[in-house]
Amino acid sequence: MRDRITLACTDCKQRNYTSTKNKKNNSERIELRKYCKFCKTHTVHKETR
Protein backbone atom coordinates (compact mmCIF):
# COMPACT_ATOMS: atom_id res chain seq x y z
CA MET A 1 0.00 0.00 0.00
CA ARG A 2 2.90 2.39 0.68
CA ASP A 3 4.48 3.89 -2.42
CA ARG A 4 8.01 5.18 -2.79
CA ILE A 5 8.31 8.93 -3.48
CA THR A 6 11.18 11.28 -4.30
CA LEU A 7 11.57 14.73 -2.73
CA ALA A 8 13.12 17.57 -4.75
CA CYS A 9 14.39 20.94 -3.57
CA THR A 10 12.21 23.84 -4.73
CA ASP A 11 15.20 26.19 -5.09
CA CYS A 12 17.79 24.17 -7.02
CA LYS A 13 15.47 21.35 -8.28
CA GLN A 14 17.88 18.63 -7.12
CA ARG A 15 16.31 15.33 -6.04
CA ASN A 16 17.79 14.77 -2.59
CA TYR A 17 15.56 12.45 -0.58
CA THR A 18 13.40 9.37 -0.97
CA SER A 19 10.57 8.38 1.33
CA THR A 20 7.36 6.38 1.41
CA LYS A 21 3.77 7.43 1.86
CA ASN A 22 0.37 5.83 1.99
CA LYS A 23 -1.51 7.17 -1.05
CA LYS A 24 -4.83 6.03 0.39
CA ASN A 25 -4.47 8.41 3.37
CA ASN A 26 -2.42 11.18 1.71
CA SER A 27 -3.46 11.67 -1.89
CA GLU A 28 -1.97 15.17 -2.29
CA ARG A 29 1.74 15.88 -2.76
CA ILE A 30 3.90 16.14 0.34
CA GLU A 31 5.94 19.26 1.19
CA LEU A 32 8.65 18.97 3.83
CA ARG A 33 11.28 21.41 5.04
CA LYS A 34 14.60 19.55 4.80
CA TYR A 35 18.31 20.30 4.43
CA CYS A 36 19.64 20.62 0.88
CA LYS A 37 23.35 19.84 0.59
CA PHE A 38 23.57 21.73 -2.71
CA CYS A 39 22.03 24.97 -1.38
CA LYS A 40 23.57 24.42 2.08
CA THR A 41 20.35 25.60 3.79
CA HIS A 42 17.01 24.23 4.90
CA THR A 43 14.53 24.57 2.04
CA VAL A 44 11.07 23.25 1.16
CA HIS A 45 11.19 19.90 -0.64
CA LYS A 46 8.19 18.80 -2.72
CA GLU A 47 7.19 15.36 -3.88
CA THR A 48 8.00 14.61 -7.52
CA ARG A 49 6.38 12.08 -9.80
Side-chain angles (χ1 to χ4, degrees), residues 13-28:
K13 308 295 189 234
Q14 292 285 332
R15 295 178 179 204
N16 300 329
Y17 294 97
T18 59
S19 184
T20 60
K21 79 168 188 177
N22 189 339
K23 287 197 176 179
K24 195 173 217 180
N25 295 338
N26 302 12
S27 58
E28 66 279 349

Side-chain angles (χ1 to χ4, degrees), residues 2 5 9 15-16 25 30-31 39 43 48:
R2 297 185 69 82
I5 59 168
C9 178
R15 295 178 179 204
N16 300 329
N25 295 338
I30 294 178
E31 289 186 7
C39 299
T43 58
T48 59

Side-chain angles (χ1 to χ4, degrees), residues 1 3 6 8-9 15 17 24 30 32-33 43 45 49:
M1 186 57 65
D3 290 330
T6 305
C9 178
R15 295 178 179 204
Y17 294 97
K24 195 173 217 180
I30 294 178
L32 298 173
R33 190 164 165 82
T43 58
H45 285 66
R49 297 278 177 206

